[in-house]
Amino acid sequence: MTMQTSKTMQIGLLIVALIMPYAFQAFFGAVFLFIGVLPDLLQGKPFDPHAIEHMPTMLGLALICSNLSLYFFYRLTQLSRHPLTDAKRKLSPALTTTALLSFLCISFSAAFILMRFDLNDGGIEAVFNEMKTNPAGILAIVVFGPLGEELAFREVFQRRLQAMTSPLVAILASGVIFGAYHLNLAQMIPASILGIVLAVLYYRFGDIRVCLAAHILNNGLSTLITILDPTDKIEEAVAKSYPEVWGALLLIIGVLLLKYWLRKTPPAIQTV
Protein backbone atom coordinates (compact mmCIF):
# COMPACT_ATOMS: atom_id res chain seq x y z
CA MET A 1 0.00 0.00 0.00
CA THR A 2 1.45 3.38 -1.03
CA MET A 3 1.72 6.33 1.33
CA GLN A 4 -0.85 8.24 -0.75
CA THR A 5 -3.32 5.34 -0.57
CA SER A 6 -2.81 5.08 3.17
CA LYS A 7 -3.43 8.81 3.64
CA THR A 8 -6.55 8.67 1.47
CA MET A 9 -7.82 5.75 3.58
CA GLN A 10 -7.17 7.69 6.80
CA ILE A 11 -9.09 10.69 5.46
CA GLY A 12 -11.94 8.35 4.51
CA LEU A 13 -11.99 6.92 8.04
CA LEU A 14 -12.14 10.43 9.50
CA ILE A 15 -15.12 11.25 7.31
CA VAL A 16 -16.87 8.04 8.35
CA ALA A 17 -16.15 8.81 11.99
CA LEU A 18 -17.82 12.23 11.67
CA ILE A 19 -20.82 10.97 9.69
CA MET A 20 -21.74 8.20 12.12
CA PRO A 21 -23.03 10.44 14.96
CA TYR A 22 -25.55 11.93 12.52
CA ALA A 23 -26.40 8.50 11.09
CA PHE A 24 -27.14 6.94 14.47
CA GLN A 25 -29.11 9.98 15.63
CA ALA A 26 -31.20 9.93 12.45
CA PHE A 27 -31.85 6.18 12.74
CA PHE A 28 -32.84 6.13 16.41
CA GLY A 29 -34.68 9.43 16.03
CA ALA A 30 -36.84 7.79 13.35
CA VAL A 31 -37.35 4.65 15.46
CA PHE A 32 -38.49 6.53 18.58
CA LEU A 33 -40.50 9.01 16.52
CA PHE A 34 -42.45 6.09 15.08
CA ILE A 35 -42.96 4.59 18.54
CA GLY A 36 -44.13 7.95 19.86
CA VAL A 37 -46.63 8.72 17.08
CA LEU A 38 -47.89 5.15 16.64
CA PRO A 39 -50.97 5.66 18.88
CA ASP A 40 -51.93 8.76 16.86
CA LEU A 41 -51.39 6.94 13.56
CA LEU A 42 -53.64 4.10 14.72
CA GLN A 43 -56.34 6.69 15.39
CA GLY A 44 -55.99 8.00 11.84
CA LYS A 45 -54.22 11.23 12.72
CA PRO A 46 -51.72 12.66 10.17
CA PHE A 47 -48.00 11.86 10.56
CA ASP A 48 -45.93 14.75 11.97
CA PRO A 49 -42.18 14.28 11.21
CA HIS A 50 -41.27 16.90 13.82
CA ALA A 51 -43.36 15.43 16.63
CA ILE A 52 -40.32 14.00 18.43
CA GLU A 53 -39.20 17.56 19.25
CA HIS A 54 -42.14 17.65 21.67
CA MET A 55 -41.56 14.16 23.04
CA PRO A 56 -38.70 14.74 25.51
CA THR A 57 -38.65 11.15 26.76
CA MET A 58 -38.53 9.66 23.25
CA LEU A 59 -35.91 12.17 22.15
CA GLY A 60 -33.82 11.41 25.24
CA LEU A 61 -34.04 7.66 24.63
CA ALA A 62 -33.11 8.17 20.97
CA LEU A 63 -29.98 10.13 21.94
CA ILE A 64 -29.00 7.60 24.61
CA CYS A 65 -29.31 4.70 22.14
CA SER A 66 -27.48 6.58 19.38
CA ASN A 67 -24.52 7.43 21.60
CA LEU A 68 -24.27 3.92 23.02
CA SER A 69 -24.40 2.53 19.48
CA LEU A 70 -21.72 5.01 18.43
CA TYR A 71 -19.43 3.72 21.18
CA PHE A 72 -19.86 0.09 20.11
CA PHE A 73 -19.47 1.00 16.44
CA TYR A 74 -16.16 2.75 17.07
CA ARG A 75 -14.85 -0.14 19.15
CA LEU A 76 -16.01 -2.94 16.84
CA THR A 77 -14.64 -1.22 13.74
CA GLN A 78 -11.44 -0.30 15.64
CA LEU A 79 -11.83 3.34 14.70
CA SER A 80 -11.27 3.66 18.44
CA ARG A 81 -8.87 0.94 19.54
CA HIS A 82 -6.93 2.81 22.18
CA PRO A 83 -8.02 2.22 25.82
CA LEU A 84 -10.36 5.02 26.86
CA THR A 85 -8.39 5.41 30.07
CA ASP A 86 -4.64 5.08 30.41
CA ALA A 87 -3.91 3.10 33.57
CA LYS A 88 -0.42 4.60 33.75
CA ARG A 89 -1.84 8.13 33.68
CA LYS A 90 -2.92 9.08 37.22
CA LEU A 91 -5.49 11.79 37.87
CA SER A 92 -4.43 14.51 40.29
CA PRO A 93 -7.48 15.79 42.21
CA ALA A 94 -6.04 19.29 42.48
CA LEU A 95 -5.02 19.54 38.81
CA THR A 96 -8.27 17.97 37.62
CA THR A 97 -10.21 20.54 39.65
CA THR A 98 -8.10 23.27 38.07
CA ALA A 99 -8.89 21.98 34.58
CA LEU A 100 -12.61 21.75 35.33
CA LEU A 101 -12.74 25.26 36.81
CA SER A 102 -10.84 26.59 33.81
CA PHE A 103 -13.33 25.02 31.42
CA LEU A 104 -16.34 26.31 33.35
CA CYS A 105 -14.91 29.84 33.46
CA ILE A 106 -14.33 29.85 29.71
CA SER A 107 -17.77 28.32 29.10
CA PHE A 108 -19.57 30.98 31.13
CA SER A 109 -17.41 33.74 29.65
CA ALA A 110 -18.50 32.71 26.14
CA ALA A 111 -22.15 32.65 27.24
CA PHE A 112 -21.90 36.09 28.88
CA ILE A 113 -20.04 37.77 26.03
CA LEU A 114 -22.43 36.39 23.38
CA MET A 115 -25.52 37.23 25.43
CA ARG A 116 -25.94 40.65 23.79
CA PHE A 117 -25.97 39.26 20.25
CA ASP A 118 -29.25 37.31 20.58
CA LEU A 119 -28.13 34.63 18.12
CA ASN A 120 -30.77 32.40 16.55
CA ASP A 121 -30.69 28.82 17.85
CA GLY A 122 -33.41 27.48 15.54
CA GLY A 123 -35.55 26.44 18.50
CA ILE A 124 -32.95 24.03 19.91
CA GLU A 125 -32.93 25.64 23.35
CA ALA A 126 -36.68 25.13 23.70
CA VAL A 127 -36.30 21.46 22.73
CA PHE A 128 -33.47 20.98 25.24
CA ASN A 129 -35.44 22.73 27.97
CA GLU A 130 -38.25 20.22 27.43
CA MET A 131 -35.76 17.35 27.61
CA LYS A 132 -34.54 18.64 30.96
CA THR A 133 -37.93 17.86 32.48
CA ASN A 134 -37.53 14.06 32.44
CA PRO A 135 -34.86 11.51 33.44
CA ALA A 136 -34.17 10.18 29.93
CA GLY A 137 -33.63 13.67 28.57
CA ILE A 138 -31.37 14.66 31.46
CA LEU A 139 -29.27 11.50 31.07
CA ALA A 140 -28.96 12.14 27.33
CA ILE A 141 -27.84 15.75 27.78
CA VAL A 142 -25.61 15.32 30.83
CA VAL A 143 -24.00 11.88 30.35
CA PHE A 144 -24.53 10.14 27.03
CA GLY A 145 -24.31 13.22 24.81
CA PRO A 146 -20.90 14.24 26.18
CA LEU A 147 -19.69 10.63 26.01
CA GLY A 148 -20.62 10.27 22.34
CA GLU A 149 -19.19 13.67 21.40
CA GLU A 150 -15.89 13.14 23.22
CA LEU A 151 -15.52 9.74 21.58
CA ALA A 152 -16.27 11.11 18.11
CA PHE A 153 -14.41 14.42 18.17
CA ARG A 154 -11.53 13.73 20.54
CA GLU A 155 -10.87 10.00 20.85
CA VAL A 156 -11.44 9.16 17.18
CA PHE A 157 -11.21 12.30 15.03
CA GLN A 158 -8.57 14.29 16.92
CA ARG A 159 -6.35 11.31 17.76
CA ARG A 160 -6.28 10.11 14.16
CA LEU A 161 -5.81 13.60 12.73
CA GLN A 162 -2.85 14.17 15.07
CA ALA A 163 -1.13 11.21 13.46
CA MET A 164 -1.61 12.79 10.01
CA THR A 165 -0.89 16.45 10.72
CA SER A 166 0.29 18.49 13.72
CA PRO A 167 -1.27 18.65 17.20
CA LEU A 168 -2.23 22.30 16.63
CA VAL A 169 -4.10 21.53 13.41
CA ALA A 170 -5.84 18.56 15.08
CA ILE A 171 -6.86 20.66 18.10
CA LEU A 172 -8.25 23.51 16.00
CA ALA A 173 -10.01 21.18 13.55
CA SER A 174 -11.53 19.12 16.37
CA GLY A 175 -12.87 22.24 18.08
CA VAL A 176 -14.23 23.97 14.98
CA ILE A 177 -15.87 20.85 13.56
CA PHE A 178 -17.35 20.12 16.99
CA GLY A 179 -18.90 23.60 16.88
CA ALA A 180 -20.20 23.14 13.32
CA TYR A 181 -21.74 19.81 14.40
CA HIS A 182 -24.32 21.75 16.44
CA LEU A 183 -25.80 23.23 13.22
CA ASN A 184 -27.06 26.55 14.64
CA LEU A 185 -25.23 29.83 15.11
CA ALA A 186 -26.14 30.29 18.78
CA GLN A 187 -24.40 27.00 19.65
CA MET A 188 -21.75 26.86 16.93
CA ILE A 189 -19.70 29.83 18.17
CA PRO A 190 -19.45 28.90 21.88
CA ALA A 191 -19.20 25.17 21.04
CA SER A 192 -16.22 25.86 18.76
CA ILE A 193 -14.46 27.75 21.55
CA LEU A 194 -15.22 25.07 24.13
CA GLY A 195 -14.35 22.34 21.62
CA ILE A 196 -10.86 23.80 21.25
CA VAL A 197 -10.43 23.85 25.05
CA LEU A 198 -11.65 20.25 25.29
CA ALA A 199 -9.22 19.32 22.52
CA VAL A 200 -6.36 20.93 24.47
CA LEU A 201 -7.34 18.98 27.59
CA TYR A 202 -7.50 15.76 25.58
CA TYR A 203 -4.17 16.28 23.83
CA ARG A 204 -2.31 17.13 27.00
CA PHE A 205 -3.76 14.43 29.23
CA GLY A 206 -3.90 11.69 26.62
CA ASP A 207 -7.34 10.17 27.24
CA ILE A 208 -10.92 11.37 27.57
CA ARG A 209 -11.24 11.41 31.36
CA VAL A 210 -10.54 15.11 31.93
CA CYS A 211 -12.34 16.45 28.84
CA LEU A 212 -15.31 14.13 29.43
CA ALA A 213 -15.57 15.23 33.07
CA ALA A 214 -15.45 18.89 31.96
CA HIS A 215 -18.12 18.28 29.32
CA ILE A 216 -20.41 16.43 31.76
CA LEU A 217 -19.94 19.09 34.44
CA ASN A 218 -20.74 21.89 31.99
CA ASN A 219 -23.90 20.22 30.67
CA GLY A 220 -24.93 19.17 34.17
CA LEU A 221 -24.59 22.69 35.55
CA SER A 222 -26.51 24.11 32.58
CA THR A 223 -29.27 21.56 33.17
CA LEU A 224 -29.40 22.32 36.89
CA ILE A 225 -29.72 26.07 36.23
CA THR A 226 -32.59 25.43 33.81
CA ILE A 227 -34.39 23.22 36.34
CA LEU A 228 -33.93 25.70 39.21
CA ASP A 229 -34.68 28.76 37.10
CA PRO A 230 -37.27 27.79 34.44
CA THR A 231 -38.31 31.43 33.84
CA ASP A 232 -34.73 32.59 33.06
CA LYS A 233 -34.64 35.18 35.85
CA ILE A 234 -30.92 34.55 36.39
CA GLU A 235 -30.18 35.12 32.70
CA GLU A 236 -32.22 38.34 32.73
CA ALA A 237 -30.34 39.58 35.80
CA VAL A 238 -26.97 38.81 34.21
CA ALA A 239 -28.03 40.56 30.97
CA LYS A 240 -28.65 43.75 32.95
CA SER A 241 -25.32 43.69 34.81
CA TYR A 242 -22.66 44.20 32.11
CA PRO A 243 -22.24 40.58 30.98
CA GLU A 244 -19.33 41.55 28.68
CA VAL A 245 -17.31 42.69 31.70
CA TRP A 246 -18.05 39.53 33.67
CA GLY A 247 -17.37 37.47 30.57
CA ALA A 248 -13.98 39.11 30.01
CA LEU A 249 -13.05 38.59 33.68
CA LEU A 250 -14.05 34.92 33.58
CA LEU A 251 -12.13 34.45 30.34
CA ILE A 252 -8.95 35.82 31.91
CA ILE A 253 -9.39 33.58 34.96
CA GLY A 254 -10.12 30.56 32.77
CA VAL A 255 -7.08 31.09 30.55
CA LEU A 256 -4.80 31.58 33.56
CA LEU A 257 -6.10 28.38 35.17
CA LEU A 258 -5.64 26.52 31.88
CA LYS A 259 -2.07 27.78 31.54
CA TYR A 260 -1.33 26.62 35.10
CA TRP A 261 -2.82 23.18 34.35
CA LEU A 262 -0.77 22.87 31.16
CA ARG A 263 2.41 23.84 32.99
CA LYS A 264 1.82 21.27 35.73
CA THR A 265 0.55 18.44 33.51
CA PRO A 266 3.28 16.56 31.60
CA PRO A 267 2.51 15.85 27.94
CA ALA A 268 1.00 12.47 27.09
CA ILE A 269 2.38 10.06 24.54
CA GLN A 270 -0.44 9.24 22.12
CA THR A 271 -0.68 6.57 19.45
CA VAL A 272 -3.52 5.86 17.00
Side-chain angles (χ1 to χ4, degrees):
M1 182 181 293
T2 66
M3 184 179 296
Q4 184 62 39
T5 303
S6 177
K7 189 172 183 180
T8 302
M9 184 178 293
Q10 290 300 321
I11 293 172
L13 289 174
L14 289 178
I15 294 172
V16 169
L18 292 178
I19 289 174
M20 292 315 298
Y22 289 112
F24 280 120
Q25 285 179 15
F27 173 76
F28 284 104
V31 169
F32 282 95
L33 169 62
F34 178 75
I35 294 171
V37 301
L38 184 58
D40 289 340
L41 293 177
L42 292 175
Q43 294 175 18
K45 295 181 180 179
F47 174 69
D48 179 4
H50 303 289
I52 196 169
E53 295 176 4
H54 306 291
M55 300 175 181
T57 300
M58 291 299 174
L59 185 54
L61 290 172
L63 291 174
I64 289 171
C65 290
S66 66
N67 284 297
L68 283 174
S69 299
L70 188 65
Y71 167 78
F72 288 112
F73 173 80
Y74 285 152
R75 301 306 280 185
L76 290 172
T77 59
Q78 293 197 325
L79 279 170
S80 171
R81 56 190 179 198
H82 186 272
L84 296 185
T85 59
D86 185 351
K88 297 178 181 178
R89 192 75 161 166
K90 302 301 181 183
L91 280 172
S92 162
L95 287 177
T96 302
T97 302
T98 301
L100 297 182
L101 288 175
S102 167
F103 184 77
L104 286 180
C105 285
I106 295 172
S107 174
F108 277 96
S109 75
F112 287 175
I113 292 170
L114 294 172
M115 193 173 283
R116 298 286 194 195
F117 294 92
D118 193 27
L119 299 173
N120 182 20
D121 69 356
I124 292 296
E125 184 178 359
V127 174
F128 278 2
N129 286 345
E130 277 196 68
M131 289 178 65
K132 293 171 183 177
T133 62
N134 72 92
I138 292 172
L139 275 175
I141 292 171
V142 177
V143 179
F144 291 95
L147 175 62
E149 290 172 350
E150 293 311 307
L151 282 172
F153 294 99
R154 254 61 70 181
E155 179 62 29
V156 176
F157 180 79
Q158 181 180 336
R159 180 181 284 273
R160 286 184 170 274
L161 192 58
Q162 281 171 190
M164 299 167 57
T165 60
S166 68
L168 178 60
V169 169
I171 286 169
L172 292 176
S174 171
V176 172
I177 293 175
F178 172 70
Y181 169 80
H182 289 77
L183 297 178
N184 69 85
L185 196 59
Q187 287 184 303
M188 283 170 64
I189 296 174
S192 294
I193 296 168
L194 298 181
I196 290 171
V197 178
L198 290 169
V200 169
L201 296 177
Y202 177 77
Y203 171 70
R204 191 67 166 195
F205 191 73
D207 66 45
I208 67 171
R209 279 177 290 177
V210 176
C211 58
L212 179 59
H215 202 155
I216 288 175
L217 181 62
N218 182 71
N219 287 18
L221 189 56
S222 171
T223 299
L224 182 62
I225 291 172
T226 301
I227 292 172
L228 296 178
D229 183 35
T231 58
D232 293 332
K233 291 182 179 178
I234 295 175
E235 184 175 340
E236 291 175 7
V238 171
K240 296 176 182 178
S241 60
Y242 306 101
E244 303 90 345
V245 176
W246 293 109
L249 180 60
L250 285 171
L251 181 61
I252 292 170
I253 294 172
V255 170
L256 289 175
L257 288 172
L258 183 60
K259 287 184 67 176
Y260 176 81
W261 182 81
L262 288 170
R263 191 168 67 248
K264 294 293 184 178
T265 304
I269 299 174
Q270 295 188 7
T271 57
V272 175

